[in-house]
């Protein structure tokens, strides 16, 4: 059984990390004569990368993630994942939704088992259950498996959502502010858990966040979006801290404050400038 | 609710019941005619002349509670008897009505739920059919009767058709409403997991829309039970509605009252069964 999580990691592992996702010149407009939400967005995600997208509310982060998930179509440009153009949702991409999006008539276990079953339609009932239990235990919910979503706290619901996304062993994990609703303490615990799991499984992740420290802890690369409408991808910054960083010790790493100041400065000042002066 | 309050409610219910019975008793208490010529009330001869025998004072009038109970016991002694169309027990008639409702209502569910799903999933269909639904929906089921009689030419079929047509609309509209208002996120979950259509229907769409569907079914069943009595009065040769009409023609008001009470109790029972179903499919978000 899936005790050895690394077995589920992709087998291709060349010295030069492959490009898993290529987003080129993407733009989105919801209605004919409304302004573009964002435009000219291009970036790559390499196999095993943890990429965070930061930007102010309403700049189109969720829209980008939904296009990657195949739930929305881009107006211009496109997304290629693993050599194939994204046109519809698929099991190769796991999504943790901004609202947890658990099915309220199912228990936590059934919610995860639903995803496992979708991945492995032919598996035995026992195998499905065991696998679902495994992923729930992974996010620390072994004791709350049989509760319905309304009986769970906000943080627990988010964790069920994360377990569900992981349980399909996707090539690319898409997370839309997965810790938005959590208190600082729970958030820290789950962040570390997530970092551990992602490192173990070499999971490729695209995550949206508002929280600069969260991005610094988790991301290998941080994408910064300017304010909408017509938001652009303003910067693509690599995280200078070593991957061994932890929440408690990362502020002692050299370069932490420069990096953090760079990000915060972008959010408070430069994100608004990009729009008025595209040459900045 | 605290025990105290519950007890109070129970007490009030009983009080209302007693008041009702007392009123009934008072209103139907056998009275003697008052003579405008000052003949004493106890004068049996005068009473006989006025057509009122002390013993039979009330035989054809509205029964007193005691008379009603006596005659109801009589009727309920053999509720399932079937001595030809003229003499069938009240239970037999009730069963005939229930059977008709089961068939008509069952057909309505079978048609309305899939159709409601189709409407809910395809706004184009919804918009195309909406004018027809809106026009057909407010028609009293009894207004269909002549058309049904002419085309179906069969009393049994007519009853079933009336039940079908009146319970169809609430189920259809509630189902399509329930399906259109399913949270987008839940559909997106199913889409990202590439869940196949049968499972998507059974594990996501149906449970998500179930509360609305069952609400529609509950309304539909209530309407069906209202309509069947009227329909059977018009065309029936059996059924509880026919029974009511027949007993009225026999001037057996006791039996009419008994039938009315039975109709109420049966309707309540049917409704509470669906209320149970409703509770079991409800979910908290
Ligand atoms: N389905 C839709 N139809 C029309 N407009 C939409 C739709 N979804 C999003 N928008 C618009 O697109 C813009 C970006 O929305 P989006 O949800 O992508 O923002 P976001 O960056 O994720 O914001 P937040 O951080 O608050 O979640 C908003 O102005 C929003 O009104
Ligand atoms: Mg968003």
């Amino acid at each position: 059984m899936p005790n050895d999580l690394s077995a589920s990691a992709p087998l291709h592992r060349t010295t030069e990390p492959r490009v898993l996702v290529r987003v080129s010149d993407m733009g989105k407009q919801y209605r004919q004569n409304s302004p573009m939400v964002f435009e000219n967005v291009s970036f790559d995600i390499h196999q095993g990368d943890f990429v965070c997208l930061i930007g102010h509310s309403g700049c189109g982060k969720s829209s980008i993630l939904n296009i990657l998930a195949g739930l929305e179509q881009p107006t211009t440009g496109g997304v290629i994942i693993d050599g194939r153009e994204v046109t519809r949702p698929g099991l190769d991409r796991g999504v943790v939704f901004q609202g947890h999006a658990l099915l309220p008539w199912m228990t936590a276990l059934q919610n995860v088992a639903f995803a496992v079953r979708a991945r492995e339609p032919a598996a035995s009932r026992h195998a499905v259950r065991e696998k679902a239990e495994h992923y729930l235990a992974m996010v620390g919910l072994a004791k709350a498996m049989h509760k319905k979503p309304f009986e769970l706290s906000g943080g627990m619901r988010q964790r069920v959502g994360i377990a569900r996304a992981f349980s399909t062993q996707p090539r690319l994990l898409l997370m839309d502010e997965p810790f938005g609703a959590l208190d600082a303490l729970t958030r820290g615990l789950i962040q570390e858990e997530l970092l551990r799991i992602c490192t173990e499984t070499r999971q490729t992740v695209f995550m949206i966040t508002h929280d600069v420290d969260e991005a610094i802890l988790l991301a290998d690369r941080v994408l910064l979006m300017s304010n909408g409408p017509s938001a652009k991808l303003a910067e693509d910054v690599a995280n200078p801290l070593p991957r061994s960083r932890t929440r408690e010790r990362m502020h002692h790493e050299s370069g932490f404050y420069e990096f953090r100041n760079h990000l915060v400065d972008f959010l408070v000042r430069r994100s608004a400038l990009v729009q008025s002066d595209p040459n900045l | 609710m605290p025990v105290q309050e519950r007890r109070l409610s129970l007490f009030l219910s009983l009080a209302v019941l007693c008041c009702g019975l007392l009123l009934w008793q008072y209103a139907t208490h056998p009275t003697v005619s008052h003579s405008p010529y000052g003949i004493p009330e106890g004068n049996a001869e005068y009473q006989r002349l006025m057509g009122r025998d002390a013993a039979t004072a009330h035989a054809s009038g509205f029964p007193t509670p005691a008379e009603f109970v006596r005659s109801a016991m009589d009727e309920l002694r053999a509720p399932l008897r079937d001595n030809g169309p003229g003499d069938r027990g009240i239970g037999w008639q009730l069963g005939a009505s229930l059977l008709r409702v089961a068939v008509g209502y069952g057909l309505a569910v079978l048609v309305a739920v899939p159709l409601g799903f189709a409407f809910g999933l395809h706004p184009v269909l919804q918009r195309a059919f909406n004018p027809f639904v809106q026009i057909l929906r407010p028609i009293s089921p009894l207004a269909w009767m002549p058309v049904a009689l002419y085309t179906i030419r069969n009393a049994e079929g007519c009853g079933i058709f009336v039940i079908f047509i009146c319970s169809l609309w609430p189920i259809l509209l509630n189902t399509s409403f329930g399906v259109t208002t399913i949270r987008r996120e839940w559909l997106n979950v199913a889409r990202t997991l590439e869940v196949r259509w049968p499972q998507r229907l059974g594990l996501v769409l149906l449970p998500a829309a179930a509360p609305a569907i069952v609400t529609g079914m509950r309304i539909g069943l209530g309407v069906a039970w209202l309509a069947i009595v009227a329909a059977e009065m018009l065309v029936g040769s059996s059924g509880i509605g026919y029974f009511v009409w027949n007993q009225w023609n026999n001037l057996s008001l006791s039996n009419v009252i008994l039938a009315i009470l039975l109709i109420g109790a049966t309707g309540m029972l049917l409704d509470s069964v669906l209320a149970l179903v409703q509770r079991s499919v409800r979910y908290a978000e």
Side-chain angles (χ1 to χ4, degrees):
Chain A
M1 272 322 294
N3 283 330
D4 179 16
L5 283 167
S6 57
S8 63
L11 298 169
H12 339 263
R13 192 79 188 161
T14 50
T15 43
E16 181 75 1
R18 302 182 321 113
V19 172
L20 180 65
V21 182
R22 172 154 284 166
V23 175
S24 39
D25 200 27
M26 191 166 74
K28 177 74 185 175
Q29 184 182 30
Y30 277 102
R31 264 178 291 276
Q32 202 81 77
N33 25 16
S34 63
M36 298 288 280
V37 174
F38 58 86
E39 55 192 10
N40 300 4
V41 169
S42 306
F43 60 90
D44 288 348
I45 300 176
H46 295 274
Q47 180 71 60
D49 260 1
F50 197 125
V51 175
C52 273
L53 179 64
I54 297 190
H56 283 290
S57 182
C59 69
K61 304 183 296 296
S62 295
S63 306
I64 291 183
L65 185 131
N66 284 341
I67 293 171
L68 289 181
L71 295 167
E72 302 256 14
Q73 299 305 314
T75 312
T76 64
V79 181
I80 291 172
I81 294 183
D82 221 8
R84 270 193 285 146
E85 170 129 33
V86 171
T87 53
R88 56 195 188 87
L91 274 165
D92 56 332
R93 286 147 286 153
V95 185
V96 178
F97 292 89
Q98 190 162 7
H100 51 82
L102 299 179
L103 304 178
W105 52 88
M106 294 183 182
T107 62
L109 183 65
Q110 287 167 331
N111 263 289
V112 179
F114 179 63
V116 175
R117 169 65 70 199
R119 174 90 212 187
E120 297 159 39
S124 75
R125 188 183 279 259
H126 180 74
V128 168
R129 190 193 157 104
E130 202 153 273
K131 197 160 180 187
E133 282 174 355
H134 166 79
Y135 281 98
L136 278 170
M138 186 179 82
V139 295
L141 284 180
K143 291 215 180 69
M145 287 192 298
H146 299 294
K147 292 198 169 152
K148 297 253 175 85
F150 76 93
E151 300 169 287
L152 299 173
S153 70
M156 291 160 110
R157 286 178 213 164
Q158 287 288 14
R159 282 187 273 167
V160 178
I162 292 169
R164 177 173 66 184
F166 267 95
S167 72
T168 61
Q169 293 164 294
R171 305 282 317 266
L172 173 64
L173 188 63
L174 300 165
M175 299 200 277
D176 196 345
E177 293 186 39
F179 312 127
L182 306 189
D183 62 285
L185 198 64
T186 322
R187 179 190 287 237
L189 290 175
I190 305 181
Q191 280 169 350
E192 261 165 20
E193 195 69 3
L194 179 68
L195 195 59
R196 186 183 60 75
I197 299 165
C198 288
T199 318
E200 271 175 19
T201 60
R202 297 203 208 90
Q203 179 71 53
T204 314
V205 184
F206 178 79
M207 175 171 138
I208 293 172
T209 177
H210 272 132
D211 181 347
V212 168
D213 290 305
E214 179 168 284
I216 298 174
L217 173 65
L218 296 175
D220 302 316
R221 267 168 60 214
V222 181
L223 306 178
L224 299 169
M225 270 183 97
S226 65
N227 294 351
S230 305
K232 315 253 184 329
L233 194 60
E235 294 181 28
D236 181 342
V237 204
N239 190 340
L241 306 187
R243 215 173 182 184
S244 60
R245 61 193 174 265
T246 61
R247 207 158 46 93
E248 292 92 48
R249 286 187 293 105
M250 68 177 179
H251 8 278
H252 303 305
E253 308 274 2
S254 67
F256 172 80
Y257 284 102
E258 286 92 326
F259 187 45
R260 189 172 193 282
N261 289 343
H262 183 85
L263 299 182
V264 171
D265 185 57
F266 176 85
L267 285 178
V268 296
R269 201 175 58 83
R270 299 200 306 281
S271 61
L273 295 179
V274 172
Q275 205 194 356
S276 48
D277 179 10
N279 299 321
L280 190 102
Chain B
M1 219 189 329
V3 180
Q4 204 97 59
E5 278 182 30
R6 221 175 302 172
R7 243 182 238 160
L8 186 64
S9 309
L10 185 65
F11 173 76
L12 282 175
S13 296
L14 288 175
V16 168
L17 180 66
C18 288
C19 281
L21 286 174
L22 274 175
L23 261 176
W24 180 4
Q25 173 68 36
Y26 175 76
T28 57
H29 192 72
T31 50
V32 287
S33 301
H34 297 273
S35 156
Y37 309 108
I39 297 170
E41 302 275 308
N43 189 325
E45 208 154 340
Y46 172 73
Q47 296 298 341
R48 225 178 345 261
L49 277 172
M50 295 305 291
R52 286 170 207 269
D53 199 324
T56 62
H58 227 72
S60 60
F62 203 89
T64 64
E67 282 166 348
F68 165 71
V69 168
R70 217 171 305 126
S71 118
M73 299 286 262
D74 238 21
E75 178 62 39
L76 290 177
R77 200 162 297 140
L80 297 177
R81 72 178 182 280
D82 179 10
N83 307 327
D87 180 26
R88 282 176 176 143
I90 193 165
W92 193 95
Q93 306 284 21
L94 193 66
S97 293
L98 281 172
L99 198 66
R100 233 165 256 155
V101 167
V103 175
Y105 177 75
L107 282 174
V109 171
L110 285 182
V111 171
V113 171
L115 209 58
F117 263 89
F119 286 2
L121 293 174
H122 302 285
V124 178
L125 278 181
Q126 165 115 321
R127 217 161 305 137
F129 280 89
N130 195 39
F132 303 108
V133 173
Q134 294 306 336
I135 284 214
L136 295 176
R137 191 170 60 97
I139 300 174
S140 158
L142 295 182
W144 289 104
M145 218 56 191
V147 181
L149 276 172
Y150 185 79
T151 49
I152 302 176
R153 289 168 192 280
N154 164 333
E156 198 57 42
C158 276
I160 289 172
F161 172 77
V162 165
I163 297 307
F164 170 79
I165 203 79
C166 70
S167 47
L168 185 71
W169 311 118
I171 306 177
L172 177 64
L173 290 176
N174 272 278
T175 304
S176 76
F177 170 79
V179 174
T180 36
T181 52
I182 293 177
R183 292 262 294 274
R184 228 191 139 72
E185 304 175 346
W186 301 337
L187 301 178
N188 282 345
V189 167
R191 287 174 67 201
T192 55
L193 292 174
E194 292 186 65
V195 180
R196 295 197 192 90
W197 267 106
Q199 281 89 325
R200 207 179 283 198
L201 265 177
L203 295 175
V204 180
L205 295 171
L206 197 60
I213 297 175
V214 176
T215 302
M217 286 173 62
R218 203 172 158 189
I219 298 170
L221 190 58
V223 178
W225 192 240
L226 284 180
I228 188 67
V229 175
E232 285 169 347
M233 280 183 166
L234 278 178
V235 298
S237 51
S238 67
I240 193 76
Y242 166 77
F243 180 86
V244 169
W245 198 246
N246 202 25
Q247 297 302 318
W248 160 241
N249 286 332
N250 293 346
L251 278 181
S252 171
L253 282 177
S254 282
N255 277 345
V256 172
I257 297 171
L258 177 64
I260 289 176
L261 290 179
L262 260 178
I263 291 169
T266 310
M268 188 175 80
L269 209 73
L270 291 177
D271 189 64
S272 56
V273 168
L274 277 183
L276 271 182
V277 177
Q278 201 169 27
R279 201 165 314 148
S280 72
V281 298
R282 201 160 39 194
Y283 53 82
E285 283 184 36

